[in-house]
Amino acid sequence: MIIRGDVLEAERRIRGYVRRTPLLRGGTAAAPLWFKCEFLQHTGVFKARGAFNRILAARERGELDPKIGVVAASGGNAGLANAYAAAVLGVPATVFVPETAPRVKVERLLGYKATVRQVGAEYAEAYAAAMQYVETSGALFCHAYDQLEIAAGAGTLAEEIFQDEPGIDTIVVAVGGGGLFAGVAAAAGGRARVVAVEPFNIPTLHAALEAGHPVDVPVSGIAADSLGARRVGEIAFSMASRVPPVSVLVDDAAIVSARSQLWSEYRIPAEYGAAAALAALTSGAYAPGKDERVAVIVCGANTDVRTL
């Protein structure tokens, strides 16, 4: 279980390594929105927060061998974050990604001097290969979402939201494996509701809540490269069981439309997974109440800008 104290400890630990991203007001005068611009984070995604927290905490405990370094499995974004954090901290990084990972993400991984290994068609296969590598190499494993330090690091962005706009009632967050959701829920507990948004094609948290435990779901659709976990993490499910979020599903058409709106109205170059959060509002899957103050996390921008 993750608690707010874990998030506050992460905030202390990663200060100076991550950017404090802006909270920008959008929407209309009658229905304002606030966008947490985490797409401006190092590597273009919120995951740098958890990566630094995980590696720094392991170094503090003496668990990190600086010659062997770290290993991650990722659809792309977690790999980018861990490769960047490892490069800043001066340790090697090996990243396992699916063969379907977007070329733009693979090229950036190589730019951070990571060793990239492409395995399988989806995240679950890359993860299995990464775990085998951990057993043989002794590298520090940095999970894409289901480690306490990873989730706590992600939750630091919610602390920034409340510091910048204390009156926020609701935080809307896209869910893949659930690390960001878990961190946000821990930070927001008692202060704001959390709306957990998933594509119909990858309803990991939604399916787990219906089943009463995490279950495997098929992975497909336009946001699969960043929200493509086969099942929600245990930490996220534990958080959702303790304080149930508002769980909503959106289709690919709504995600495409929301992404287009982010670019045309705000010049925000969101990836499809990041646009899923706004899609909950633009599609009507979540309808805020009168005077409800809503913050939408735009969590990543690692996308092919030619498709905007």
Side-chain angles (χ1 to χ4, degrees):
M1 179 65 69
I2 180 176
I3 61 174
R4 188 183 174 208
D6 298 316
V7 178
L8 295 175
E9 178 65 15
E11 187 177 45
R12 177 202 63 77
R13 183 178 288 119
I14 67 177
R15 191 175 296 128
Y17 290 100
V18 300
R19 293 172 179 155
R20 183 188 178 100
T21 56
L23 184 69
L24 300 182
R25 181 164 173 162
T28 64
L33 292 175
W34 283 263
F35 293 109
K36 180 57 172 171
C37 298
E38 198 62 13
F39 64 93
L40 295 173
Q41 188 55 258
H42 293 299
T43 74
V45 67
F46 75 94
K47 288 179 180 286
R49 296 173 182 266
F52 273 111
N53 193 42
R54 168 67 175 156
I55 299 171
L56 287 167
R59 189 170 71 178
E60 289 172 7
R61 296 191 297 263
E63 297 172 0
L64 175 66
D65 186 326
K67 294 181 180 179
I68 299 174
V70 305
V71 62
S74 169
N77 281 338
L80 287 172
N82 283 286
Y84 173 78
V88 169
L89 298 173
V91 298
T94 301
V95 181
F96 288 78
V97 300
E99 295 170 354
T100 54
R103 190 176 73 176
V104 63
K105 294 183 180 180
V106 173
E107 289 175 348
R108 291 191 67 195
L109 283 169
L110 294 172
Y112 293 136
K113 308 302 182 184
T115 298
V116 180
R117 302 192 181 187
Q118 293 188 260
V119 179
E122 59 184 71
Y123 168 77
E125 294 171 277
Y127 172 81
M131 294 310 295
Q132 291 180 346
Y133 180 82
V134 169
E135 291 179 5
T136 59
S137 69
L140 177 75
F141 183 61
C142 299
H143 201 285
Y145 52 87
D146 202 22
Q147 282 175 329
L148 186 146
E149 289 149 356
I150 295 291
T156 60
L157 66 81
E159 292 293 334
E160 293 176 4
I161 289 174
F162 291 118
Q163 290 162 13
D164 290 345
E165 195 64 39
I168 290 296
D169 301 303
T170 301
I171 299 178
V172 185
V173 56
V175 178
L180 177 58
F181 159 74
V184 168
R191 294 193 283 178
R193 72 177 56 83
V194 178
V195 178
V197 187
E198 300 173 275
F200 275 103
N201 292 329
I202 326 171
T204 57
L205 179 59
H206 197 83
L209 291 171
E210 286 190 339
H213 56 87
V215 294
D216 284 353
V217 300
V219 174
S220 64
I222 201 162
D225 68 303
S226 56
L227 302 181
R230 188 180 291 177
R231 69 164 56 196
V232 76
E234 294 288 346
I235 294 173
F237 179 72
S238 177
M239 290 299 302
S241 299
R242 188 179 72 173
V243 184
V246 180
S247 176
V248 302
L249 302 176
V250 294
D251 62 26
D252 278 3
I255 294 172
V256 171
S257 178
R259 179 175 179 262
S260 178
Q261 182 176 334
L262 284 167
W263 177 248
S264 62
E265 294 188 16
Y266 303 103
R267 281 299 185 262
I268 293 176
E271 57 192 78
Y272 289 109
L278 180 61
L281 302 176
T282 56
S283 69
Y286 180 74
K290 188 176 185 298
D291 298 325
E292 185 173 342
R293 297 165 69 84
V294 179
V296 177
I297 299 173
V298 186
C299 57
N302 290 316
T303 190
D304 185 345
V305 295
R306 294 172 297 180
T307 65
L308 290 170

